Short mmCIF file of all heavy atoms in Angstrom, two decimals:
data_model
loop_
_atom_site.label_atom_id
_atom_site.label_comp_id
_atom_site.label_asym_id
_atom_site.label_seq_id
_atom_site.Cartn_x
_atom_site.Cartn_y
_atom_site.Cartn_z
N VAL A 26 -0.21 12.56 -9.48
CA VAL A 26 -0.65 12.80 -8.11
C VAL A 26 0.29 12.25 -7.04
O VAL A 26 0.10 12.51 -5.86
CB VAL A 26 -2.09 12.27 -7.88
CG1 VAL A 26 -3.08 12.98 -8.79
CG2 VAL A 26 -2.17 10.77 -8.06
N VAL A 27 1.32 11.48 -7.47
CA VAL A 27 2.31 10.97 -6.52
C VAL A 27 3.69 11.00 -7.16
O VAL A 27 3.82 10.98 -8.39
CB VAL A 27 2.02 9.50 -6.07
CG1 VAL A 27 0.71 9.39 -5.32
CG2 VAL A 27 2.06 8.54 -7.23
N ASP A 28 4.72 11.08 -6.34
CA ASP A 28 6.09 10.83 -6.78
C ASP A 28 6.37 9.37 -6.47
O ASP A 28 6.02 8.88 -5.39
CB ASP A 28 7.08 11.73 -6.04
CG ASP A 28 6.97 13.18 -6.46
OD1 ASP A 28 6.72 13.45 -7.66
OD2 ASP A 28 7.12 14.06 -5.59
N LYS A 77 5.36 9.47 7.27
CA LYS A 77 4.00 9.14 7.62
C LYS A 77 3.06 9.67 6.53
O LYS A 77 3.20 10.80 6.08
CB LYS A 77 3.62 9.77 8.97
CG LYS A 77 2.25 9.39 9.46
CD LYS A 77 1.98 9.98 10.83
CE LYS A 77 0.60 9.54 11.31
NZ LYS A 77 0.34 10.01 12.67
N GLY A 78 2.14 8.81 6.07
CA GLY A 78 1.21 9.19 5.02
C GLY A 78 1.65 8.75 3.64
O GLY A 78 0.85 8.78 2.70
N ASP A 79 2.90 8.32 3.48
CA ASP A 79 3.32 7.75 2.20
C ASP A 79 2.66 6.38 2.05
O ASP A 79 2.19 5.78 3.02
CB ASP A 79 4.85 7.57 2.16
CG ASP A 79 5.60 8.88 2.03
OD1 ASP A 79 4.97 9.91 1.72
OD2 ASP A 79 6.83 8.86 2.23
N VAL A 80 2.69 5.87 0.84
CA VAL A 80 2.08 4.57 0.54
C VAL A 80 3.15 3.68 -0.07
O VAL A 80 3.88 4.09 -0.98
CB VAL A 80 0.89 4.72 -0.43
CG1 VAL A 80 0.36 3.36 -0.85
CG2 VAL A 80 -0.22 5.56 0.21
N LEU A 109 5.11 5.50 -2.92
CA LEU A 109 4.25 6.50 -3.53
C LEU A 109 4.12 7.66 -2.55
O LEU A 109 3.56 7.49 -1.47
CB LEU A 109 2.88 5.91 -3.86
CG LEU A 109 2.87 4.58 -4.62
CD1 LEU A 109 1.45 4.10 -4.84
CD2 LEU A 109 3.61 4.68 -5.94
N LYS A 110 4.66 8.81 -2.92
CA LYS A 110 4.61 9.99 -2.06
C LYS A 110 3.51 10.92 -2.58
O LYS A 110 3.69 11.55 -3.63
CB LYS A 110 5.96 10.70 -2.05
CG LYS A 110 7.07 9.86 -1.40
CD LYS A 110 8.36 10.60 -1.28
CE LYS A 110 8.53 11.36 -0.01
NZ LYS A 110 8.26 10.74 1.24
N PRO A 111 2.37 10.97 -1.88
CA PRO A 111 1.23 11.75 -2.37
C PRO A 111 1.55 13.23 -2.52
O PRO A 111 2.16 13.85 -1.66
CB PRO A 111 0.17 11.54 -1.29
CG PRO A 111 0.55 10.26 -0.63
CD PRO A 111 2.06 10.24 -0.65
N LYS A 112 1.12 13.77 -3.68
CA LYS A 112 1.22 15.20 -3.95
C LYS A 112 -0.19 15.81 -3.98
O LYS A 112 -0.42 16.86 -3.43
CB LYS A 112 1.88 15.48 -5.30
CG LYS A 112 3.28 14.97 -5.46
CD LYS A 112 3.90 15.40 -6.78
CE LYS A 112 3.28 14.68 -7.96
NZ LYS A 112 3.98 14.86 -9.23
N GLN A 113 -1.10 15.13 -4.66
CA GLN A 113 -2.45 15.65 -4.87
C GLN A 113 -3.49 14.56 -4.65
O GLN A 113 -4.51 14.52 -5.35
CB GLN A 113 -2.59 16.21 -6.28
CG GLN A 113 -1.66 17.33 -6.59
CD GLN A 113 -1.79 17.77 -8.05
OE1 GLN A 113 -2.75 17.48 -8.72
NE2 GLN A 113 -0.78 18.48 -8.52
N VAL A 114 -3.23 13.68 -3.71
CA VAL A 114 -4.18 12.60 -3.43
C VAL A 114 -4.08 12.24 -1.94
O VAL A 114 -2.99 12.27 -1.37
CB VAL A 114 -3.92 11.37 -4.33
CG1 VAL A 114 -2.57 10.74 -4.05
CG2 VAL A 114 -5.03 10.33 -4.22
N GLU A 115 -5.20 11.91 -1.34
CA GLU A 115 -5.24 11.52 0.07
C GLU A 115 -4.78 10.06 0.19
O GLU A 115 -5.20 9.21 -0.61
CB GLU A 115 -6.67 11.71 0.60
CG GLU A 115 -6.78 11.74 2.10
CD GLU A 115 -6.83 10.36 2.74
OE1 GLU A 115 -7.34 9.42 2.08
OE2 GLU A 115 -6.34 10.22 3.86
N SER A 116 -3.94 9.75 1.16
CA SER A 116 -3.27 8.45 1.27
C SER A 116 -4.23 7.27 1.39
O SER A 116 -4.07 6.26 0.71
CB SER A 116 -2.32 8.44 2.46
OG SER A 116 -1.36 9.45 2.32
N LEU A 119 -6.01 6.72 -1.82
CA LEU A 119 -5.11 6.13 -2.81
C LEU A 119 -5.00 4.63 -2.60
O LEU A 119 -5.07 3.85 -3.56
CB LEU A 119 -3.72 6.78 -2.73
CG LEU A 119 -2.66 6.19 -3.66
CD1 LEU A 119 -3.05 6.33 -5.12
CD2 LEU A 119 -1.32 6.86 -3.39
N TYR A 160 -10.54 16.64 -3.32
CA TYR A 160 -9.76 16.16 -2.18
C TYR A 160 -10.65 15.88 -0.96
O TYR A 160 -10.45 14.89 -0.25
CB TYR A 160 -8.66 17.17 -1.83
CG TYR A 160 -7.62 16.58 -0.90
CD1 TYR A 160 -6.55 15.86 -1.41
CD2 TYR A 160 -7.74 16.71 0.48
CE1 TYR A 160 -5.60 15.30 -0.58
CE2 TYR A 160 -6.79 16.16 1.33
CZ TYR A 160 -5.73 15.46 0.79
OH TYR A 160 -4.80 14.89 1.63
#
Side-chain angles (χ1 to χ4, degrees):
V26 298
V27 297
D28 289 323
K77 184 177 182 176
D79 288 347
V80 174
L109 310 178
K110 295 185 90 47
K112 300 185 289 190
Q113 300 175 18
V114 64
E115 197 277 330
S116 301
L119 176 62
Y160 194 86

